[in-house]
Coordinates of all heavy atoms in Angstrom, one line a residue:
M1 N -6.3 7.7 5.8 CA -7.2 7.1 6.8 C -8.6 7.6 6.5 O -8.8 8.6 5.9 CB -6.8 7.6 8.2 CG -5.5 7.0 8.7 SD -5.2 7.3 10.5 CE -4.7 9.0 10.4
W2 N -9.5 6.8 7.0 CA -10.9 7.2 6.9 C -11.6 7.1 8.3 O -11.1 6.4 9.2 CB -11.7 6.3 5.9 CG -11.7 4.8 6.3 CD1 -10.7 3.9 6.1 CD2 -12.7 4.2 7.1 NE1 -11.0 2.7 6.7 CE2 -12.2 2.9 7.3 CE3 -13.9 4.6 7.7 CZ2 -13.0 1.9 8.1 CZ3 -14.6 3.7 8.4 CH2 -14.1 2.4 8.6
S3 N -12.7 7.8 8.4 CA -13.4 7.8 9.7 C -14.9 7.5 9.6 O -15.5 7.1 10.5 CB -13.1 9.0 10.5 OG -13.6 10.1 9.9
N4 N -15.5 7.8 8.4 CA -16.9 7.7 8.3 C -17.4 6.7 7.3 O -18.5 6.1 7.5 CB -17.5 9.1 7.9 CG -17.2 10.1 9.0 OD1 -17.3 9.8 10.2 ND2 -17.0 11.4 8.6
N5 N -16.7 6.5 6.2 CA -17.3 5.7 5.2 C -16.3 4.8 4.5 O -15.6 5.2 3.6 CB -18.0 6.6 4.1 CG -18.8 5.9 3.1 OD1 -18.6 4.7 2.8 ND2 -19.8 6.5 2.6
V6 N -16.2 3.6 5.0 CA -15.3 2.6 4.5 C -15.5 2.3 3.0 O -14.6 2.1 2.3 CB -15.2 1.3 5.4 CG1 -16.5 0.5 5.3 CG2 -14.0 0.5 5.0
V7 N -16.8 2.3 2.6 CA -17.1 1.9 1.2 C -16.5 2.9 0.3 O -15.8 2.5 -0.7 CB -18.6 1.7 1.1 CG1 -18.9 1.5 -0.4 CG2 -19.1 0.6 1.9
S8 N -16.7 4.2 0.5 CA -16.2 5.2 -0.4 C -14.7 5.3 -0.3 O -14.0 5.5 -1.4 CB -16.8 6.6 -0.1 OG -16.5 7.1 1.1
F9 N -14.1 5.1 0.8 CA -12.6 5.1 0.9 C -12.0 4.0 0.1 O -11.1 4.2 -0.6 CB -12.2 5.0 2.4 CG -10.7 5.0 2.6 CD1 -10.0 6.2 2.7 CD2 -10.0 3.9 2.8 CE1 -8.7 6.3 3.0 CE2 -8.6 3.9 3.0 CZ -8.0 5.1 3.1
A10 N -12.6 2.8 0.3 CA -12.1 1.6 -0.4 C -12.2 1.8 -2.0 O -11.3 1.5 -2.7 CB -12.9 0.4 0.0
A11 N -13.4 2.4 -2.4 CA -13.6 2.6 -3.8 C -12.6 3.7 -4.3 O -12.0 3.5 -5.4 CB -15.0 3.1 -4.1
K12 N -12.3 4.7 -3.6 CA -11.4 5.8 -4.0 C -10.0 5.3 -4.2 O -9.3 5.7 -5.1 CB -11.4 6.9 -2.9 CG -10.6 8.1 -3.3 CD -10.7 9.2 -2.3 CE -9.8 10.4 -2.6 NZ -9.9 11.5 -1.7
Y13 N -9.6 4.4 -3.3 CA -8.2 3.9 -3.4 C -8.0 2.5 -4.0 O -7.0 1.9 -4.0 CB -7.5 4.0 -2.0 CG -7.4 5.4 -1.6 CD1 -8.3 6.0 -0.7 CD2 -6.4 6.2 -2.1 CE1 -8.2 7.3 -0.3 CE2 -6.2 7.6 -1.7 CZ -7.1 8.1 -0.8 OH -7.0 9.4 -0.5
G14 N -9.1 2.0 -4.5 CA -9.1 0.6 -5.1 C -8.8 -0.5 -4.1 O -8.0 -1.4 -4.5
L15 N -9.3 -0.4 -2.9 CA -9.0 -1.4 -1.9 C -10.2 -2.3 -1.7 O -11.4 -1.9 -1.9 CB -8.7 -0.7 -0.6 CG -7.5 0.3 -0.6 CD1 -7.5 1.1 0.7 CD2 -6.2 -0.4 -0.9
S16 N -10.0 -3.5 -1.1 CA -11.0 -4.3 -0.7 C -11.5 -3.7 0.7 O -10.8 -2.9 1.3 CB -10.6 -5.7 -0.5 OG -9.7 -5.8 0.6
R17 N -12.7 -4.1 1.1 CA -13.2 -3.7 2.4 C -12.2 -4.1 3.5 O -11.9 -3.3 4.4 CB -14.5 -4.3 2.7 CG -15.1 -3.9 4.0 CD -16.5 -4.5 4.3 NE -17.0 -4.3 5.6 CZ -17.7 -3.2 6.0 NH1 -18.0 -2.3 5.1 NH2 -18.0 -3.1 7.2
R18 N -11.7 -5.3 3.4 CA -10.7 -5.8 4.4 C -9.4 -4.9 4.5 O -8.9 -4.6 5.6 CB -10.4 -7.2 4.1 CG -9.4 -7.9 5.1 CD -9.2 -9.3 4.8 NE -8.2 -9.9 5.7 CZ -8.2 -11.1 6.1 NH1 -9.1 -12.0 5.6 NH2 -7.3 -11.5 7.0
Q19 N -8.9 -4.6 3.3 CA -7.7 -3.7 3.3 C -8.1 -2.3 3.9 O -7.3 -1.8 4.7 CB -7.3 -3.5 1.8 CG -6.7 -4.8 1.2 CD -6.4 -4.6 -0.3 OE1 -7.2 -4.0 -1.0 NE2 -5.3 -5.1 -0.7
A20 N -9.2 -1.8 3.5 CA -9.6 -0.4 4.0 C -9.8 -0.4 5.5 O -9.5 0.6 6.1 CB -10.8 0.0 3.3
L21 N -10.3 -1.5 6.1 CA -10.5 -1.5 7.5 C -9.2 -1.4 8.3 O -9.1 -0.8 9.4 CB -11.1 -2.9 7.9 CG -12.6 -2.9 7.6 CD1 -13.2 -4.3 7.9 CD2 -13.4 -1.9 8.4
Q22 N -8.1 -1.8 7.7 CA -6.8 -1.6 8.4 C -6.4 -0.1 8.4 O -5.5 0.3 9.2 CB -5.7 -2.3 7.6 CG -5.9 -3.8 7.7 CD -4.8 -4.6 7.0 OE1 -3.7 -4.8 7.5 NE2 -5.0 -4.9 5.7
L23 N -7.0 0.7 7.6 CA -6.6 2.2 7.6 C -7.7 3.0 8.2 O -7.7 4.2 8.0 CB -6.4 2.5 6.1 CG -5.2 1.8 5.5 CD1 -5.2 2.1 4.0 CD2 -3.9 2.0 6.2
Q24 N -8.6 2.5 9.0 CA -9.5 3.3 9.7 C -8.8 4.1 10.8 O -7.9 3.7 11.5 CB -10.6 2.4 10.4 CG -11.6 3.1 11.2 CD -12.7 2.2 11.8 OE1 -12.5 1.0 11.9 NE2 -13.8 2.8 12.2
C25 N -9.3 5.4 10.9 CA -8.7 6.3 11.8 C -9.1 5.9 13.3 O -10.3 5.6 13.5 CB -9.2 7.7 11.6 SG -8.4 8.9 12.6
T26 N -8.1 5.7 14.1 CA -8.4 5.4 15.5 C -7.8 6.4 16.5 O -6.9 7.2 16.0 CB -7.8 4.0 15.9 OG1 -6.4 4.1 15.8 CG2 -8.4 2.9 15.0
A27 N -8.2 6.4 17.7 CA -7.6 7.3 18.7 C -6.6 6.5 19.4 O -6.9 5.5 20.1 CB -8.7 7.7 19.7
E28 N -5.3 6.8 19.2 CA -4.2 6.1 19.8 C -3.8 6.8 21.1 O -3.5 8.0 21.1 CB -3.0 6.1 18.8 CG -1.7 5.8 19.5 CD -1.6 4.3 19.8 OE1 -2.5 3.8 20.5 OE2 -0.6 3.7 19.4
H29 N -3.9 6.1 22.2 CA -3.5 6.6 23.5 C -2.0 6.5 23.6 O -1.5 5.4 23.7 CB -4.2 5.9 24.6 CG -5.7 6.1 24.7 ND1 -6.6 5.6 23.7 CD2 -6.5 6.9 25.5 CE1 -7.8 6.0 24.0 NE2 -7.8 6.8 25.1
L30 N -1.3 7.6 23.7 CA 0.1 7.5 23.9 C 0.5 6.8 25.1 O 1.5 6.0 25.1 CB 0.7 8.9 23.8 CG 0.5 9.7 22.5 CD1 1.0 11.1 22.6 CD2 1.1 9.0 21.3
I31 N -0.1 7.1 26.2 CA 0.0 6.3 27.4 C -1.2 5.5 27.5 O -2.3 6.0 27.6 CB 0.1 7.2 28.7 CG1 1.4 8.1 28.6 CG2 0.2 6.3 30.0 CD1 1.5 9.1 29.7
P32 N -1.1 4.1 27.3 CA -2.3 3.3 27.3 C -3.2 3.4 28.5 O -2.7 3.7 29.6 CB -1.7 1.9 27.2 CG -0.3 2.0 26.7 CD 0.1 3.4 27.2
R33 N -4.5 3.3 28.3 CA -5.4 3.3 29.4 C -5.1 2.3 30.4 O -5.3 2.6 31.6 CB -6.9 3.1 28.8 CG -7.4 4.3 28.0 CD -8.7 4.0 27.4 NE -8.5 3.1 26.3 CZ -9.4 2.6 25.5 NH1 -10.6 3.0 25.6 NH2 -9.1 1.8 24.5
S34 N -4.6 1.2 30.0 CA -4.2 0.1 31.0 C -3.1 0.6 31.9 O -2.9 0.0 33.0 CB -3.8 -1.2 30.3 OG -2.7 -0.9 29.5
M35 N -2.4 1.6 31.5 CA -1.3 2.1 32.3 C -1.6 3.5 32.9 O -0.7 4.3 33.3 CB 0.0 2.2 31.5 CG 0.5 0.8 31.0 SD 2.0 0.9 30.0 CE 3.1 1.5 31.2
G36 N -2.9 3.8 32.9 CA -3.3 5.1 33.6 C -3.5 6.2 32.6 O -3.7 7.3 33.0
G37 N -3.3 6.0 31.3 CA -3.4 7.1 30.3 C -4.9 7.5 30.3 O -5.8 6.7 30.4
T38 N -5.1 8.8 30.1 CA -6.4 9.4 30.1 C -6.9 9.6 28.6 O -6.1 9.5 27.7 CB -6.4 10.7 30.8 OG1 -5.6 11.7 30.1 CG2 -5.9 10.5 32.2
A39 N -8.1 10.1 28.5 CA -8.7 10.4 27.2 C -8.5 11.9 26.9 O -9.2 12.5 26.2 CB -10.1 10.0 27.2
S40 N -7.5 12.5 27.5 CA -7.2 14.0 27.3 C -6.6 14.2 25.9 O -5.9 13.3 25.4 CB -6.4 14.5 28.4 OG -5.1 13.9 28.3
S41 N -6.7 15.4 25.4 CA -6.2 15.7 24.1 C -4.7 15.5 24.0 O -4.1 15.3 22.9 CB -6.7 17.1 23.6 OG -6.2 18.0 24.5
V42 N -4.0 15.7 25.1 CA -2.5 15.6 25.0 C -2.1 14.1 25.0 O -0.9 13.9 24.8 CB -1.8 16.3 26.2 CG1 -2.1 17.8 26.1 CG2 -2.3 15.8 27.6
N43 N -3.0 13.2 25.3 CA -2.6 11.8 25.3 C -3.1 11.0 24.1 O -2.9 9.9 24.0 CB -3.2 11.1 26.6 CG -2.6 9.8 26.8 OD1 -1.4 9.6 26.6 ND2 -3.4 8.8 27.2
I44 N -3.8 11.7 23.2 CA -4.4 11.0 22.1 C -3.9 11.6 20.8 O -3.9 12.8 20.6 CB -6.0 11.1 22.2 CG1 -6.4 10.3 23.4 CG2 -6.6 10.5 20.9 CD1 -7.9 10.3 23.6
V45 N -3.5 10.7 19.9 CA -3.2 11.1 18.5 C -4.0 10.2 17.5 O -4.4 9.2 17.9 CB -1.7 11.0 18.2 CG1 -0.9 11.9 19.1 CG2 -1.2 9.6 18.4
A46 N -4.1 10.7 16.3 CA -4.8 9.9 15.3 C -3.8 8.9 14.7 O -2.6 9.2 14.5 CB -5.3 10.8 14.2
A47 N -4.2 7.7 14.6 CA -3.4 6.6 14.0 C -4.3 5.6 13.3 O -5.5 5.4 13.7 CB -2.6 5.9 15.1
C48 N -3.8 5.1 12.2 CA -4.7 4.1 11.5 C -4.7 2.8 12.4 O -3.9 2.6 13.3 CB -4.1 3.8 10.1 SG -2.6 2.7 10.1
A49 N -5.7 2.0 12.2 CA -6.0 0.8 13.0 C -4.8 -0.1 12.9 O -4.4 -0.7 13.9 CB -7.2 0.1 12.5
F50 N -4.1 -0.2 11.7 CA -2.9 -1.1 11.6 C -1.8 -0.7 12.6 O -1.3 -1.5 13.4 CB -2.4 -1.0 10.2 CG -1.2 -1.9 10.0 CD1 -1.2 -3.2 9.9 CD2 0.1 -1.2 9.9 CE1 -0.1 -4.0 9.7 CE2 1.2 -2.0 9.7 CZ 1.2 -3.4 9.6
C51 N -1.5 0.6 12.6 CA -0.4 1.1 13.4 C -0.8 1.0 14.9 O 0.0 0.6 15.7 CB 0.0 2.5 13.1 SG 0.8 2.8 11.5
N52 N -2.0 1.3 15.2 CA -2.5 1.3 16.6 C -2.4 -0.2 17.1 O -1.9 -0.4 18.2 CB -3.9 1.8 16.6 CG -4.4 2.1 18.1 OD1 -3.8 1.6 19.0 ND2 -5.4 3.0 18.2
H53 N -3.0 -1.1 16.3 CA -3.0 -2.5 16.8 C -1.6 -3.1 16.9 O -1.3 -3.9 17.8 CB -3.9 -3.3 15.9 CG -5.3 -2.9 16.0 ND1 -6.2 -3.2 15.0 CD2 -6.0 -2.1 16.9 CE1 -7.4 -2.6 15.3 NE2 -7.3 -2.0 16.5
K54 N -0.7 -2.7 16.0 CA 0.6 -3.3 16.0 C 1.3 -2.9 17.3 O 2.0 -3.7 17.9 CB 1.4 -2.7 14.8 CG 1.2 -3.5 13.5 CD 2.0 -4.8 13.6 CE 2.2 -5.3 12.2 NZ 2.9 -6.6 12.2
R55 N 1.2 -1.6 17.7 CA 1.9 -1.1 18.9 C 1.4 -1.9 20.1 O 2.1 -2.3 21.0 CB 1.6 0.4 19.1 CG 2.3 0.9 20.3 CD 2.2 2.4 20.4 NE 2.7 2.9 21.7 CZ 2.1 3.7 22.5 NH1 1.0 4.3 22.2 NH2 2.7 4.0 23.6
H56 N 0.1 -2.1 20.2 CA -0.5 -2.7 21.4 C -0.6 -4.2 21.3 O -1.1 -4.9 22.2 CB -1.9 -2.1 21.7 CG -1.7 -0.7 22.0 ND1 -1.2 -0.2 23.2 CD2 -2.0 0.5 21.3 CE1 -1.2 1.1 23.2 NE2 -1.6 1.5 22.0
A57 N -0.1 -4.8 20.2 CA 0.0 -6.3 20.1 C 1.1 -6.8 20.9 O 1.2 -8.0 21.2 CB 0.1 -6.7 18.6
R58 N 2.0 -6.0 21.3 CA 3.1 -6.5 22.1 C 2.7 -6.6 23.6 O 1.7 -5.9 24.0 CB 4.3 -5.5 22.0 CG 4.8 -5.3 20.6 CD 5.9 -4.3 20.6 NE 6.4 -4.0 19.2 CZ 7.4 -3.3 19.0 NH1 8.1 -2.8 19.9 NH2 7.8 -3.1 17.7
L59 N 3.4 -7.4 24.4 CA 3.1 -7.5 25.8 C 3.1 -6.2 26.5 O 2.2 -5.9 27.3 CB 4.0 -8.5 26.5 CG 3.9 -10.0 26.1 CD1 4.9 -10.8 26.8 CD2 2.5 -10.5 26.4
T60 N 4.1 -5.4 26.2 CA 4.2 -4.0 26.7 C 4.3 -3.1 25.5 O 5.3 -3.2 24.8 CB 5.4 -3.9 27.6 OG1 5.4 -4.8 28.7 CG2 5.5 -2.5 28.2
A61 N 3.4 -2.2 25.4 CA 3.4 -1.2 24.3 C 4.7 -0.4 24.4 O 4.9 0.2 25.5 CB 2.2 -0.4 24.3
P62 N 5.4 -0.2 23.3 CA 6.6 0.6 23.4 C 6.3 2.1 23.6 O 5.1 2.5 23.3 CB 7.3 0.4 22.0 CG 6.2 -0.2 21.1 CD 5.2 -0.8 22.0
E63 N 7.2 2.8 24.1 CA 7.0 4.2 24.3 C 6.7 4.9 23.0 O 7.3 4.4 21.9 CB 8.2 4.9 25.0 CG 8.5 4.5 26.4 CD 7.4 4.9 27.3 OE1 6.9 6.1 27.2 OE2 7.0 4.2 28.2
P64 N 5.9 5.9 22.9 CA 5.6 6.5 21.6 C 6.8 6.9 20.8 O 6.8 6.6 19.6 CB 4.8 7.8 22.0 CG 4.2 7.4 23.3 CD 5.2 6.6 24.0
E65 N 7.8 7.5 21.3 CA 9.0 8.0 20.5 C 9.7 6.7 20.0 O 10.2 6.7 18.9 CB 9.9 8.9 21.4 CG 11.0 9.5 20.6 CD 10.5 10.3 19.4 OE1 9.4 11.0 19.5 OE2 11.2 10.3 18.3
A66 N 9.9 5.7 20.8 CA 10.6 4.5 20.4 C 9.8 3.8 19.3 O 10.4 3.4 18.3 CB 10.8 3.6 21.6
Y67 N 8.5 3.8 19.4 CA 7.6 3.2 18.4 C 7.7 4.0 17.1 O 7.8 3.4 16.0 CB 6.2 3.1 18.9 CG 5.3 2.3 18.0 CD1 5.5 1.0 17.7 CD2 4.2 2.9 17.3 CE1 4.6 0.2 16.9 CE2 3.4 2.2 16.5 CZ 3.6 0.9 16.3 OH 2.8 0.2 15.5
K68 N 7.7 5.3 17.2 CA 7.8 6.2 16.0 C 9.1 5.9 15.3 O 9.1 5.7 14.1 CB 7.7 7.6 16.5 CG 7.8 8.6 15.3 CD 7.7 10.0 15.9 CE 7.8 11.0 14.8 NZ 7.7 12.4 15.3
Q69 N 10.2 5.8 16.0 CA 11.5 5.5 15.4 C 11.5 4.1 14.7 O 12.0 3.9 13.6 CB 12.6 5.6 16.4 CG 12.9 7.0 16.8 CD 13.9 7.1 17.9 OE1 14.6 6.2 18.2 NE2 14.1 8.3 18.5
F70 N 10.9 3.1 15.4 CA 10.8 1.8 14.8 C 10.0 1.8 13.5 O 10.4 1.2 12.5 CB 10.1 0.9 15.8 CG 9.7 -0.5 15.3 CD1 10.6 -1.5 15.1 CD2 8.3 -0.7 15.0 CE1 10.2 -2.7 14.6 CE2 8.0 -1.9 14.5 CZ 8.9 -2.9 14.2
V71 N 8.8 2.5 13.5 CA 8.0 2.6 12.3 C 8.7 3.3 11.2 O 8.7 2.8 10.1 CB 6.6 3.2 12.6 CG1 5.8 3.5 11.4 CG2 5.8 2.4 13.6
Q72 N 9.4 4.4 11.5 CA 10.1 5.1 10.5 C 11.2 4.3 9.9 O 11.4 4.4 8.6 CB 10.6 6.4 11.1 CG 9.5 7.4 11.3 CD 10.0 8.7 12.0 OE1 11.1 8.7 12.7 NE2 9.3 9.8 11.8
Q73 N 11.9 3.5 10.7 CA 12.9 2.6 10.2 C 12.3 1.6 9.2 O 12.9 1.3 8.1 CB 13.6 2.0 11.3 CG 14.8 1.1 10.9 CD 15.4 0.4 12.1 OE1 14.7 -0.3 12.9 NE2 16.7 0.6 12.2
R74 N 11.2 1.0 9.6 CA 10.6 0.0 8.7 C 10.1 0.7 7.4 O 10.2 0.0 6.4 CB 9.4 -0.6 9.5 CG 9.8 -1.4 10.7 CD 10.6 -2.7 10.4 NE 9.8 -3.6 9.6 CZ 9.3 -4.8 10.1 NH1 9.5 -5.1 11.3 NH2 8.7 -5.6 9.3
I75 N 9.6 1.9 7.5 CA 9.1 2.6 6.3 C 10.2 2.8 5.4 O 10.1 2.5 4.2 CB 8.4 3.9 6.7 CG1 7.1 3.6 7.4 CG2 8.2 4.8 5.5 CD1 6.5 4.8 8.1
R76 N 11.4 3.2 5.9 CA 12.6 3.5 5.0 C 13.0 2.2 4.3 O 13.5 2.3 3.2 CB 13.7 4.0 5.9 CG 13.6 5.5 6.2 CD 14.9 6.1 6.7 NE 15.4 5.5 8.0 CZ 15.0 5.9 9.2 NH1 14.1 6.9 9.3 NH2 15.4 5.2 10.3
R77 N 12.8 1.1 4.9 CA 13.1 -0.2 4.3 C 12.0 -0.8 3.5 O 12.1 -1.9 3.0 CB 13.5 -1.2 5.4 CG 14.8 -0.8 6.2 CD 15.1 -1.7 7.3 NE 16.3 -1.3 8.0 CZ 16.7 -1.9 9.2 NH1 16.0 -2.9 9.7 NH2 17.8 -1.4 9.7
G78 N 10.9 0.0 3.4 CA 9.8 -0.5 2.7 C 9.1 -1.7 3.3 O 8.5 -2.6 2.6
R79 N 9.2 -1.8 4.6 CA 8.6 -3.0 5.3 C 7.7 -2.6 6.4 O 7.8 -3.1 7.6 CB 9.8 -3.8 5.9 CG 10.7 -4.3 4.8 CD 11.8 -5.1 5.3 NE 11.3 -6.3 6.1 CZ 11.9 -6.8 7.1 NH1 13.1 -6.4 7.5 NH2 11.4 -7.9 7.8
W80 N 6.7 -1.7 6.2 CA 5.8 -1.4 7.2 C 4.4 -1.8 6.9 O 4.0 -2.8 7.5 CB 5.9 0.1 7.6 CG 4.9 0.4 8.7 CD1 3.8 1.3 8.7 CD2 4.9 -0.2 10.0 NE1 3.2 1.2 9.8 CE2 3.8 0.4 10.7 CE3 5.7 -1.1 10.6 CZ2 3.5 0.0 12.0 CZ3 5.4 -1.5 11.9 CH2 4.3 -0.9 12.6
L81 N 3.7 -1.2 6.0 CA 2.3 -1.6 5.8 C 2.3 -3.0 5.3 O 3.2 -3.4 4.6 CB 1.7 -0.6 4.8 CG 1.4 0.8 5.4 CD1 0.8 1.7 4.3 CD2 0.4 0.7 6.5
P82 N 1.2 -3.7 5.5 CA 1.0 -5.1 5.0 C 1.3 -5.1 3.5 O 0.8 -4.2 2.8 CB -0.4 -5.4 5.4 CG -0.8 -4.5 6.4 CD 0.0 -3.2 6.2
A83 N 1.9 -6.2 3.1 CA 2.2 -6.3 1.6 C 0.9 -6.3 0.8 O 0.9 -6.1 -0.4 CB 3.0 -7.6 1.4
S84 N -0.2 -6.6 1.4 CA -1.5 -6.7 0.7 C -2.0 -5.4 0.3 O -2.9 -5.2 -0.5 CB -2.5 -7.4 1.6 OG -2.8 -6.7 2.8
L85 N -1.4 -4.3 0.9 CA -1.9 -2.9 0.6 C -1.1 -2.4 -0.6 O 0.1 -2.7 -0.7 CB -1.8 -2.0 1.8 CG -2.8 -2.3 2.9 CD1 -2.5 -1.4 4.1 CD2 -4.2 -2.1 2.4
P86 N -1.7 -1.6 -1.4 CA -0.9 -1.0 -2.5 C 0.3 -0.2 -2.0 O 0.2 0.5 -1.0 CB -1.9 -0.1 -3.2 CG -3.2 -0.6 -2.8 CD -3.0 -1.2 -1.4
G87 N 1.4 -0.3 -2.7 CA 2.6 0.4 -2.3 C 2.5 1.9 -2.3 O 3.4 2.6 -1.7
T88 N 1.5 2.4 -3.0 CA 1.4 3.9 -3.1 C 0.8 4.5 -1.9 O 0.8 5.7 -1.7 CB 0.5 4.3 -4.3 OG1 -0.7 3.6 -4.2 CG2 1.2 3.9 -5.6
L89 N 0.2 3.7 -1.0 CA -0.4 4.2 0.2 C 0.7 4.7 1.2 O 1.8 4.1 1.3 CB -1.3 3.2 0.9 CG -2.6 2.9 0.2 CD1 -3.3 1.7 0.9 CD2 -3.5 4.1 0.0
R90 N 0.4 5.7 2.0 CA 1.4 6.2 2.9 C 0.9 5.9 4.3 O -0.3 6.0 4.6 CB 1.5 7.7 2.8 CG 2.2 8.1 1.5 CD 3.7 7.8 1.6 NE 4.4 8.1 0.4 CZ 4.9 7.2 -0.4 NH1 4.8 6.0 -0.1 NH2 5.5 7.6 -1.5
P91 N 1.8 5.5 5.2 CA 1.3 5.3 6.6 C 0.8 6.5 7.2 O 1.0 7.6 6.8 CB 2.6 4.9 7.3 CG 3.6 4.5 6.2 CD 3.2 5.3 5.0
C92 N 0.1 6.4 8.3 CA -0.6 7.5 9.0 C 0.4 8.4 9.7 O 1.6 8.1 9.7 CB -1.6 7.0 10.0 SG -0.9 6.1 11.4
N93 N -0.1 9.4 10.3 CA 0.7 10.4 10.9 C 1.5 9.9 12.1 O 2.4 10.6 12.6 CB -0.1 11.6 11.3 CG -0.6 12.4 10.1 OD1 0.0 12.3 9.0 ND2 -1.7 13.1 10.2
L94 N 1.1 8.8 12.6 CA 1.8 8.2 13.8 C 3.3 8.0 13.4 O 4.2 8.2 14.2 CB 1.2 6.9 14.2 CG 1.8 6.3 15.4 CD1 1.6 7.2 16.7 CD2 1.2 4.9 15.7
A95 N 3.5 7.6 12.1 CA 4.8 7.4 11.7 C 5.5 8.7 11.3 O 6.6 8.8 11.2 CB 4.8 6.4 10.4
Ligands
LIG101 ZN1 -0.8 4.0 10.6

């Protein structure tokens, strides 16, 4: 993940800007703000934009542990990160 310079991150890993934007570090609220989650340190973890957006793209965001298990299962099957990203990249710590 990157947080400050998408251009250097993209160059370092041979990604397009569009690909690199999916790996921007975001603050993932374990309990979404829409459900009363706060901005406290116990409610926020680092997650790449891809994982963060995927979780909240659902009508109801899955519980963190359930989502973690889902992502880990997809990773084991080689079906998590977008196919457009190089296979050598690893998902973020959320997984
Ligand atoms: Zn991620």
